Amino acid sequence: MSNKVIQAMYDDDDVLIKAVKETRAAHHHIEEVYTPFPVHGLDRAMGLENTRIAITAFIYGLVGLSFAVWMLDYMMIQDWPQNIGGKPSFTFYENMPAFVPIMFEMTVFFAAHLMVITFYMRSKIWPFQKASNPDPRTTDDKFVMEVALHGNEDELTSFLKATGAIEIKVEDKHE
């Protein structure tokens, strides 16, 4: 399935944000915006929902903490209890203060590594994947806004020119 999109190129991030707001106000669907650097306020201008990445980081941290508690209890209390520094290993609770650094490190380890994996899976960024940006100039100093084309091409082209676009292309977007 293919559909057409109009790619409007801008050379200033402030003009881009203004164009995104005007395009949304005119009820056109913005497919994607490609920028060479993060643009403050672009997510709000596009109407994107807030991210839930902090919730997943917390859950991954809890997984790491649970694994650390299980690992320490199994290794130091059940499997091979030792009297280290005059402190016998009768229960996990009695020895927990000595285990806090390991529990903290495992929490951070699991949260960080699972967040990286989640980010790559969610963004569909895989190792050795070819870049999917529509124009190589979007990695240097230009901004591209892709708007879905559902009707009069000339009308939408003139609308985007009026928002400050310096270049406009019509492309078939294959999904």
Side-chain angles (χ1 to χ4, degrees), residues 42-143:
L42 183 60
D43 53 344
R44 267 180 277 135
M46 289 180 65
L48 299 177
E49 295 178 12
N50 288 333
T51 180
R52 295 182 298 266
I53 205 150
I55 297 168
T56 58
F58 180 73
I59 291 170
Y60 293 155
L62 288 179
V63 168
L65 179 64
S66 301
F67 180 79
V69 168
W70 170 81
M71 179 185 74
L72 289 167
D73 182 59
Y74 178 74
M75 288 190 318
M76 301 298 290
I77 307 300
Q78 296 174 15
D79 186 41
W80 195 334
Q82 297 180 21
N83 186 341
I84 299 172
K87 298 178 183 175
S89 298
F90 295 129
T91 65
F92 180 83
Y93 177 73
E94 290 174 330
N95 291 298
M96 194 192 64
F99 298 156
V100 167
I102 297 166
M103 292 188 302
F104 172 77
E105 291 299 329
M106 291 299 284
T107 300
V108 172
F109 178 84
F110 270 70
H113 285 79
L114 291 175
M115 286 300 299
V116 168
I117 292 168
T118 301
F119 173 76
Y120 284 144
M121 289 176 66
R122 182 75 176 105
S123 301
K124 296 180 179 126
I125 300 175
W126 310 109
F128 311 110
Q129 181 180 4
K130 188 178 175 191
S132 64
N133 56 335
D135 193 311
R137 294 176 288 177
T138 59
T139 62
D140 187 22
D141 63 344
K142 301 290 187 245
F143 307 87

Side-chain angles (χ1 to χ4, degrees), residues 1-7 29 31 146-151 153 156 169-175:
M1 176 179 177
S2 70
N3 55 349
K4 287 190 173 188
V5 293
I6 292 188
Q7 297 172 348
H29 177 68
E31 293 283 332
E146 285 186 345
V147 181
L149 182 60
H150 299 295
E153 180 180 324
L156 187 54
K169 288 193 294 187
V170 178
E171 295 271 330
D172 275 333
K173 184 159 181 140
H174 300 283
E175 308 238 355

